[in-house]
Amino acid sequence: MPWIQPIDPCHNLLLSAGVALIPILIIFWALVLRKMKGFQAGLLAIGAAFLIAILVYRMPVKLTLLSTGNGALYGLFPICWIILPAVFLFNCTIHSGQFEIIRHFMSTISADRRIQALLIAFSFGSFLEGTAGFGAPVAITAAMLAGLGFNPLYAAGLCLIANTAPVAFGSIGIPVTVAAQVTGIPEQALSTMIGRTLPFLSALLPFYLVILMAGFKKAREVAPAALASGLSFAGIQFLSSNYLGPALPDVLAGIGSIISLLILLRFWRPRTIWRFPEEAAPEQETATFSARRLLWALGPFIVLTIMIVIWGLAPVKEGLNAHATVQFAVPGLHNAIREHSGGLIAHIYKLNYGSAAGTAIFIAALISLPLSGLTLRQGIQVFVTTLRQLRFPILTIATVLAFAYLVNDSGITQTVAGLLANTGPLFPFFAPVLGWLGVFITGSDTSSNALFGKLQASTAVSIGVDPVVTVGANVSGGVIGKMISPQSIAVAAAAGNLVGKESDLFRFTVRHSFILLCIICCIVMAQAYWIRWMIPTYIHHT
C-alpha cells in the first residue's frame, strides 16, 4: 500500500503551513543570522525536515531515508557533474597561463569592471544558460570573473543575479516545455506569456547589476552600455519567445547582447575606468599578443561553447539518451508515495551520462588540454586538485538536493503551496512566490514547474483568471528564486573560491531576490486583472 501525502497534517492549514515552513526558515536563519557554511545549513535543514516528515506528516522512516538518499544521489549526478568539469576546464587555463592572455584581451576591450560584468556575467552567461543551464553558466562565468581579478564575492554574487533573466528559457526552453506538459497549456502560449513578462526585468537587470557594483552615480557613467546590453537582450527575448517558441530566446538574446555591447564599445568608452575600491589602479598593459595566440588561448572556451551547442541539438541529445543512458526505478521508493490528488509519484533515477551537460564540458576540457599546452599527466594533476578544491561544495550540493527531495516527497512543500492557493483573488500576486519557493527548494525552474504547474492552473481557473497568467508566473517567479537557492549558492561559491563562505553569498543576493520578486508579482497581478490585452489567445487542452 502506498503512503498517502497529507496536505494538512495539523487539521488547520495555517498551522500546518507554519510547521512546514520551519525547515525553510532554518536555512535562512543558518545562512543569514548564524553565517554557517553551506553544508552545515543543509544538514541542519535535513534534520528538521526529517523530524517533521516522521513526527508530523507520519511519513514512514524507510521512505524518509530513501527519499533523502535519492536526492543526494541526484545532487552528485547531474548537478556536481556540471561543476566539476567546468571548474576543471577553467583551472587548466589558469595552470597553463592561457588565462593571463584572456585577461589581457578583456582589458583591451575594457579594463572597466562594470563593462566586464555586463559582457561576461549577463550576456555570455545568458548564452550559456540557453544552451546548457543546470548550474553551468554560473560556474563558468563566476570562475572567469574571479580569474580576471574581481572581488570573489562580487564575482559569484553578480553572476547569480545576472542569471535570473535567462533561466525561464534555459536549456533550450526545457522549463517552459515541462510547464506545458503538466498543465495542458500550449507551449507557444506559455512562451508568449513569459516573453511578455520577463523582458521588463531583462531590460532593467544590467543597470541594476552596475548599481549594485558601483552605486547609482557610477552606474550612470555606463548607462549607454547597460542600455545596449539590456534593451538588445529584452527585445530579442520578446521577439523570439513570441514568434519562435521557447527554445532559442536565451541563445539569440545572449548573442545579440554581446554583439550590441561590442559594437557600442567601438564608438564609445566610459569616461573613467572603474575598479573595486580595494583594487590597485589598472596597470598599463605592455605585453602584446598576436591574434593567433589570442585565438589559441580562447580555444578552451570556444571548444566549450561548440560542445554545449552540439549537445543541445535535439538529434544529438536524443541519440545520446537512446544509447548512453542507464535508468532504473529506485527500489522501495518508486510508486511508494501517493499524492493527495491521487497519483503515484514515480522515482526513476536517470543516469544520462552521454547527454548530460557535464559530459559535454568534460570532453571540451579533455580536448582543451593540448590547446592549453598541458600533458595528460598534468591534466590529471589539475583534475585531482580540482576534486580536492570542490570536496565541500559537492557535500553541500548533495545535502541541499537531499533536503529538496525530502520536503517534496513528504508533502511539506505542497502544504505551503496549498496555503498560497487559498488567497482567493489575490492569488495572481502570490503565484510568482510559489514559483520562487519551488526554485529555492529544488534549485531548478524545471522542477518547480513540474511541482506546482498544475496547482497554478487549477487555482487560476477557480478564481476566474486565465491559467496561462499564473503558470507563466510560476516560471517567471522561479527565475528570481534561482539566485538564493542553496544549490545555486553552492555552485557559485565553488566557482568563485568562496567555499565555506556561502552565508556571505546568500546575504549578498537575498535582498535583491525579494526586490525583483516584488516587481514580478506586481506585473503578474496587473496582467491578471488590468492589462489583459497582454494575455495571448490559445486553446487550453486539459
Side-chain angles (χ1 to χ4, degrees):
M1 281 288 293
W3 174 73
I4 300 174
Q5 284 182 340
I7 299 301
D8 185 12
C10 299
H11 308 294
N12 179 302
L13 189 57
L14 187 61
L15 179 60
S16 296
V19 174
L21 282 170
I22 289 174
I24 298 168
L25 293 175
I26 281 176
I27 293 179
F28 278 82
W29 171 80
L31 293 176
V32 176
L33 298 179
R34 300 298 299 173
K35 301 179 183 179
M36 290 183 179
K37 295 179 180 180
F39 76 91
Q40 293 173 329
L43 290 172
L44 202 59
I46 287 176
F50 199 89
L51 290 174
I52 290 171
I54 294 172
L55 300 178
V56 179
Y57 284 76
R58 303 297 179 184
M59 187 179 189
V61 175
K62 176 185 174 182
L63 292 180
T64 307
L65 291 170
L66 287 172
S67 177
T68 304
N70 187 40
L73 190 61
Y74 181 80
L76 296 176
F77 185 96
I79 304 304
C80 288
W81 181 232
I82 290 173
I83 303 160
L84 179 60
V87 177
F88 169 53
L89 182 144
F90 178 76
N91 284 347
C92 286
T93 66
I94 292 289
H95 188 79
S96 66
Q98 298 287 62
F99 197 81
E100 184 61 25
I101 300 174
I102 298 173
R103 188 196 63 76
H104 169 79
F105 170 65
M106 287 301 302
S107 68
T108 61
I109 294 177
S110 177
D112 194 301
R113 296 304 193 199
R114 299 166 295 186
I115 302 296
Q116 292 173 352
L118 292 178
L119 189 60
I120 295 174
F122 181 75
S123 301
F124 185 55
S126 297
F127 169 77
L128 291 176
E129 181 65 41
T131 53
F134 294 100
V138 170
I140 293 167
T141 54
M144 289 181 72
L145 288 184
L148 287 171
F150 269 62
N151 176 308
L153 180 63
Y154 276 84
L158 291 172
C159 289
L160 281 170
I161 296 171
N163 192 234
T164 57
V167 164
F169 299 106
S171 300
I172 318 296
I174 292 299
V176 180
T177 301
V178 170
Q181 288 172 346
V182 300
T183 61
I185 297 173
E187 186 178 278
Q188 182 56 54
L190 272 176
S191 177
T192 301
M193 189 71 243
I194 298 162
R196 296 178 183 181
T197 304
L198 283 183
F200 294 106
L201 178 65
S202 300
L204 168 72
L205 201 55
F207 198 69
Y208 189 92
L209 285 172
V210 180
I211 292 175
L212 177 59
M213 285 178 66
F216 182 77
K217 184 177 179 181
K218 292 295 182 182
R220 288 175 56 192
E221 294 180 3
V222 292
L227 288 172
S229 185
L231 292 179
S232 61
F233 185 94
I236 297 172
Q237 186 183 52
F238 168 78
L239 291 172
S240 55
S241 61
N242 276 254
Y243 300 106
L244 297 178
L248 293 175
D250 287 349
V251 176
L252 297 178
I255 293 172
S257 181
I258 291 171
I259 293 173
S260 298
L261 189 52
L262 291 178
I263 291 174
L264 174 70
L265 291 173
R266 290 181 65 88
F267 304 99
W268 169 90
R269 297 276 174 165
R271 285 180 297 177
T272 59
I273 294 178
W274 185 85
R275 314 279 281 191
F276 289 101
E278 66 274 14
E279 280 189 282
E283 297 178 7
Q284 186 68 33
E285 295 285 355
T286 56
T288 57
F289 300 100
S290 65
R292 183 175 179 276
R293 183 82 184 277
L294 173 62
L295 190 63
W296 198 259
L298 289 170
F301 296 100
I302 295 172
V303 172
L304 170 69
T305 302
I306 293 171
M307 293 300 296
I308 286 176
V309 170
I310 291 173
W311 248 243
L313 297 175
V316 175
K317 184 170 287 189
E318 290 168 4
L320 290 170
N321 277 331
H323 299 98
T325 298
V326 175
Q327 64 179 35
F328 55 88
V330 179
L333 187 61
H334 177 61
N335 287 341
I337 301 173
R338 187 180 296 279
E339 293 177 310
H340 186 72
S341 59
L344 293 173
I345 300 178
H347 285 88
I348 306 291
Y349 184 74
K350 187 176 181 181
L351 188 69
N352 55 329
Y353 58 90
S355 63
T359 302
I361 299 170
F362 185 66
I363 294 173
L366 293 179
I367 294 172
S368 299
L369 285 178
L371 297 179
S372 300
L374 298 178
T375 65
L376 181 60
R377 183 190 180 106
Q378 290 173 317
I380 293 173
Q381 290 174 343
V382 174
F383 187 79
V384 171
T385 301
T386 304
L387 266 177
R388 194 177 299 116
Q389 172 189 347
L390 294 179
R391 63 189 186 279
F392 285 117
I394 289 172
L395 176 61
T396 299
I397 292 166
T399 58
V400 165
L401 268 296
F403 166 76
Y405 271 61
L406 177 57
V407 295
N408 287 339
D409 286 342
S410 64
I412 290 173
T413 303
Q414 288 77 1
T415 299
V416 179
L419 179 67
L420 292 175
N422 277 275
T423 53
L426 291 176
F427 179 70
F429 182 85
F430 291 104
V433 178
L434 201 52
W436 175 90
L437 178 66
V439 175
F440 172 79
I441 292 172
T442 66
S444 165
D445 206 15
T446 302
S447 299
S448 176
N449 296 337
L451 192 62
F452 294 138
K454 193 68 177 177
L455 176 68
Q456 293 273 18
S458 58
T459 304
V461 170
S462 71
I463 61 174
V465 171
D466 195 315
V468 76
V469 175
T470 55
V471 176
N474 197 83
V475 182
S476 301
V479 307
I480 310 300
K482 187 81 170 178
M483 72 176 77
I484 61 167
S485 166
Q487 175 187 313
S488 300
I489 293 288
V491 170
N497 293 319
L498 288 170
V499 178
K501 297 182 179 178
E502 291 86 357
S503 60
D504 293 340
L505 191 51
F506 185 84
R507 286 183 287 118
F508 182 93
T509 57
V510 66
R511 177 179 56 180
H512 307 291
S513 181
F514 283 116
I515 291 172
L516 296 175
L517 178 63
C518 286
I519 293 173
I520 294 294
C521 288
C522 292
I523 292 174
V524 171
M525 190 72 170
Q527 289 171 335
Y529 295 117
W530 304 305
I531 49 176
R532 294 184 179 180
W533 52 266
M534 294 184 71
I535 303 173
T537 55
Y538 65 99
I539 298 174
H540 185 188
H541 303 286
T542 55

